[in-house]
Amino acid sequence: RFTFWMQLANMRYCNKGSRLDYILCDKKMHPFLVTNSKTTLAGATEDCEAHTAEAAWNAATQFGRWHGAHQVQKSDGGGLSLQQDDMKLNDTQFREPHTGILYTPPKYSDHVPVCACFAGLKLQPLQLNARWTETRGTQPWTSQSTLKALFSSKRQKT
């Protein structure tokens, strides 16, 4: 199963892509990680086992019902958009909390996120003990007046 497909060629529909997104979990959190059985993976049916390429294609394309990504033409502006003719179909991406890939329509993005579901995990509120001046170096964009300036200026040595 993939989490990225080349958008301009609608490679999602050929089931040819890359796996870019992973979930990392430390040992203390691992006992709380909810793992899903392979039979509950998106795209599986009574006739199609979850581990097959067909099930992966079913999930990535909503059984072929999601429209392909917009083919950008210079004259029409192109870009990502909603599949407005069937909003219920757009909403099929929302399902029970789970660990795994969250499939979204191709018109939303060229990649899909992965999620981790934890049960019974109690997190403590995060306490930051650093001042703004101490953390500013981790936010290089704050010293730039524009996005263009962030990418065009020379980086300062620290």
Side-chain angles (χ1 to χ4, degrees):
R1 293 189 179 231
F2 304 115
T3 60
F4 170 80
W5 301 268
M6 192 171 83
Q7 192 83 326
L8 291 176
N10 274 315
M11 296 306 284
R12 187 186 289 221
Y13 287 85
C14 302
N15 199 26
K16 293 181 181 177
S18 300
R19 187 71 184 258
L20 299 178
D21 301 272
Y22 294 90
I23 298 171
L24 301 177
C25 177
D26 69 16
K27 289 180 182 180
K28 290 181 183 177
M29 293 177 69
H30 189 266
F32 301 100
L33 181 64
V34 177
T35 57
N36 301 339
S37 71
K38 288 186 178 180
T39 59
T40 61
L41 289 174
T45 66
E46 288 182 16
D47 302 323
C48 178
E49 293 186 30
H51 66 278
T52 64
E54 181 182 358
W57 182 88
N58 289 344
T61 65
Q62 189 56 30
F63 298 86
R65 293 181 293 183
W66 276 334
H67 295 181
H70 186 76
Q71 300 299 300
V72 178
Q73 303 294 323
K74 289 182 180 180
S75 61
D76 68 6
L80 301 176
S81 63
L82 291 174
Q83 184 164 312
Q84 295 179 359
D85 60 321
D86 191 346
M87 290 306 290
K88 286 183 183 177
L89 189 56
N90 283 337
D91 291 342
T92 59
Q93 65 186 303
F94 303 111
R95 45 185 291 220
E96 294 292 319
H98 67 286
T99 298
I101 301 172
L102 177 64
Y103 290 97
T104 56
K107 287 190 161 203
Y108 287 10
S109 179
D110 57 358
H111 85 281
V112 293
V114 293
C115 359
C117 181
F118 295 93
L121 180 64
K122 300 206 184 311
L123 299 175
Q124 299 298 319
L126 181 63
Q127 296 283 330
L128 293 178
N129 296 322
R131 293 185 297 269
W132 165 254
T133 54
E134 295 168 327
T135 63
R136 189 175 175 135
T138 65
Q139 304 169 24
W141 60 87
T142 59
S143 64
Q144 304 298 323
S145 58
T146 66
L147 184 60
K148 182 179 177 182
L150 174 66
F151 292 107
S152 62
S153 67
K154 293 181 180 178
R155 296 196 179 247
Q156 296 177 357
K157 293 182 181 179
T158 55

